[in-house]
Amino acid sequence: MRHTLSITVKLDLDFRWARIDVHGCLTQGSCRALVPIVDRCFRILQKPDVVIDLSGAQHIENEGVNTLRGLGIVGPTSHPVLRERTGTCSLVIPDDLPECPSLRTNPRAHGSHRFVA
Ligand SMILES: [Zn+2]
């Protein structure tokens, strides 16, 4: 099974906030890829306010979310090296964690298709 994580980072031009949009599969293994990105945001931003938005992800493992929380990068946090860089990093999680599209046996059972003539 191949899970692919894709990340888009949006930066405020005045370096006040960053938004990390996550697409693809957030798994226990792939979530660690977010750590160096949050780290870079904390280095760049004047007063770090980072949001990790999982609402666009196609697949979210509960273990991935728990691991992300356990890594210590979510919540009011300070940079591990740059101690003066204290900021917040919040997580936007959809109510229902989506299953991996590659696990679906019948993809047509999910949603309807609209044909335009
Ligand atoms: Zn997946």
Side-chain angles (χ1 to χ4, degrees):
M1 182 117 357
R2 186 183 165 95
H3 302 285
T4 306
L5 184 70
S6 173
I7 295 164
T8 304
V9 180
K10 295 172 184 165
L11 266 181
D12 174 40
L13 285 176
D14 294 323
F15 299 105
R16 291 170 301 190
W17 54 262
R19 187 174 186 95
I20 302 170
D21 291 334
V22 176
H23 303 279
C25 302
L26 183 95
T27 64
Q28 191 171 14
S30 71
C31 70
R32 294 175 189 279
L34 289 165
V35 176
I37 295 167
V38 172
D39 181 72
R40 285 287 292 274
C41 291
F42 267 65
R43 286 173 184 270
I44 293 169
L45 298 174
Q46 303 294 323
K47 203 174 174 191
D49 180 9
V50 180
V51 174
I52 301 172
D53 189 352
L54 303 181
S55 57
Q58 281 76 49
H59 171 207
I60 303 173
E61 275 185 2
N62 198 27
E63 296 83 1
V65 175
N66 290 338
T67 303
L68 208 51
R69 287 184 171 133
L71 289 169
I73 60 168
V74 179
T77 185
S78 59
H79 191 280
V81 177
L82 311 167
R83 296 267 176 226
E84 72 277 10
R85 286 291 164 89
T86 302
T88 57
C89 180
S90 48
L91 202 52
V92 178
I93 308 169
D95 292 336
D96 295 318
L97 302 184
E99 278 188 10
C100 192
S102 63
L103 288 175
R104 292 181 192 149
T105 50
N106 182 4
R108 286 177 183 237
H110 298 271
S112 60
H113 297 272
R114 192 164 63 100
F115 295 96
V116 179

